[in-house]
Amino acid sequence: MPLAFSPWLIWFLSGIGVMLAELAVPGFVIIFFGLGCWGAAVVAVLAPNAYSIQVIVFLTVSLTSLVTLRTMAMRIFVGRSEVSRRDDTGNVAIGTRIKIDQDLEPGREARVRYRGTMWTAVSEDRIPAGTDAKIVGVDTANKSCLKLKAVIRQA
């Protein structure tokens, strides 16, 4: 006696398998194809021999749920960082002192060496070459642009 599964059961189990695959693959995309499988399973219960309609429902439900629900689901399940976007400095240590190799004019960009590589830097003050400056932040529009402030040496 051959073992045959009904189409709705195949779609339903495929949906569970696809949704479980979401746990292994990051990105929060695959789960919506699992929803598409479940939509096709509902159609397979009503019309078990209408395979082309099942595939059309699978594609329609998958893509519609992906487009409409992904951003909302990302907000719910992924969450937000405790650091606000304007306070995000990446891997730049605020307060670090660096030596300036070339003059840095107010409001103009210059290249500085930080952690062994060249970075773009800006300052509100004039910082002459050969003096120390302190990193006070990063540019919100360009995270690879350091904001510097002149370090005043006290005698």
Side-chain angles (χ1 to χ4, degrees):
M1 179 169 147
L3 181 63
F5 292 105
S6 60
W8 74 267
L9 184 60
I10 294 171
W11 280 111
F12 184 78
L13 294 176
S14 297
I16 290 174
V18 169
M19 288 183 185
L20 288 175
E22 181 68 49
L23 298 173
V25 179
F28 207 65
V29 173
I30 298 174
I31 195 167
F32 299 106
F33 292 96
L35 292 176
C37 287
W38 284 359
V42 170
V43 171
V45 167
L46 301 174
N49 294 326
Y51 300 116
S52 60
I53 294 174
Q54 293 171 20
V55 171
I56 290 171
V57 168
F58 164 73
L59 292 173
T60 304
V61 171
S62 297
L63 295 177
T64 303
S65 64
L66 178 67
V67 169
T68 58
L69 299 176
R70 184 171 187 267
T71 54
M72 179 179 58
M74 289 282 287
R75 274 186 262 136
I76 293 170
F77 293 111
V78 174
R80 294 186 181 98
S81 173
E82 291 182 10
V83 177
S84 69
R85 281 185 120 353
R86 67 180 174 81
D87 293 340
D88 182 19
T89 60
N91 62 353
V92 176
I94 304 300
T96 303
R97 287 183 160 196
I98 60 174
K99 185 169 285 290
I100 304 296
D101 295 332
Q102 60 182 350
D103 290 342
L104 184 59
E105 299 297 327
R108 304 215 36 187
E109 291 184 354
R111 302 290 286 171
V112 296
R113 185 170 301 280
Y114 172 63
R115 291 187 178 168
T117 60
M118 298 303 287
W119 291 62
T120 305
V122 294
S123 176
E124 294 177 1
D125 308 322
R126 182 181 186 286
I127 305 174
T131 60
D132 289 340
K134 181 170 66 170
I135 299 174
V136 293
V138 293
D139 189 4
T140 55
N142 180 5
K143 296 291 184 189
S144 64
C145 182
L146 304 174
K147 290 183 179 179
L148 302 178
K149 186 149 188 80
V151 174
I152 301 170
R153 293 188 183 179
Q154 297 176 350

